[in-house]
Amino acid sequence: MSILTKKKTTRDFEEKLASLPTNSRENNQAAINNFKKFIREKHQSTPDQICGELIMIKKQQGDEEYEDVLYNFLQEWIDWNISKKAGAYTIKTRFSILRTFLYSLGVKTNPQDIKQILRFPRKSVEEKYPLKKQELRDLILAHARY
């Protein structure tokens, strides 16, 4: 390894977060902590080890195998977040931060591949409708009793 090149680590990324505004820093750190927890629970590893392994796969087995492994891994992370009852918007926000984090460790993702391969949960929308007179009356009577 050259004197000028430095191995990128999670710690380096976290140190760069210090220059961000407080809310951005906290959101970024929460997303990274979520990813670390996933890796610890599912793979008994660290982000640095996982990213190093992904880079080795790319060098040794080629782009196609690398993409299969990477996107299967990312889908596993998405599914894990769904199982932890994270909301659709939360997962997408965390993923956006995660992409930046992975890029800083040398793991690059393609936006088109993300759209085509990964499946994110959809935000559920509650259907709204105006209350009927009887529903409004029942509501008022129910609260009048207390």
Side-chain angles (χ1 to χ4, degrees):
M1 186 180 281
S2 168
I3 296 171
L4 299 177
T5 58
K6 180 181 172 190
K7 185 173 177 165
K8 300 171 186 174
T9 64
T10 302
R11 174 174 233 116
D12 296 335
F13 184 80
E14 289 174 336
E15 287 173 0
K16 289 179 184 178
L17 293 179
S19 64
L20 294 175
T22 304
N23 285 344
S24 297
R25 182 176 57 246
E26 289 173 357
N27 287 335
N28 278 282
Q29 192 62 56
I32 293 168
N33 289 341
N34 171 270
F35 185 64
K36 286 179 181 178
K37 185 175 179 183
F38 162 73
I39 290 175
R40 244 187 343 267
E41 279 185 24
K42 292 289 189 175
H43 300 280
Q44 296 77 40
S45 190
T46 66
D48 296 338
Q49 291 169 333
I50 294 290
C51 291
E53 189 174 324
L54 285 167
I55 292 168
M56 290 295 286
I57 289 170
K58 186 172 185 174
K59 287 179 183 176
Q60 294 174 353
Q61 298 177 14
D63 286 343
E64 193 171 317
E65 181 67 22
Y66 164 76
E67 288 174 1
D68 287 344
V69 171
L70 172 63
Y71 292 113
N72 286 336
F73 175 72
L74 292 174
Q75 187 64 56
E76 184 183 0
W77 175 81
I78 292 166
D79 295 341
W80 179 81
N81 273 284
I82 293 170
S83 73
K84 298 290 183 182
K85 306 292 186 217
Y89 182 75
T90 301
I91 293 172
K92 286 183 179 182
T93 302
R94 285 177 181 167
F95 185 77
S96 175
I97 295 166
L98 178 61
R99 281 189 68 208
T100 305
F101 173 62
L102 291 175
Y103 186 86
S104 76
L105 294 178
V107 176
K108 296 177 175 96
T109 56
N110 183 325
Q112 187 64 32
D113 289 341
I114 290 169
K115 288 180 182 177
Q116 294 298 317
I117 298 171
L118 298 179
R119 297 291 165 234
F120 290 91
R122 293 183 182 250
K123 185 176 180 179
S124 60
V125 178
E126 186 177 327
E127 187 177 330
K128 297 180 181 180
Y129 64 93
L131 293 176
K132 296 178 182 156
K133 286 182 182 180
Q134 186 59 43
E135 292 171 324
L136 187 57
R137 181 177 290 125
D138 292 343
L139 186 63
I140 292 171
L141 289 175
H143 284 292
R145 291 184 202 143
Y146 297 106

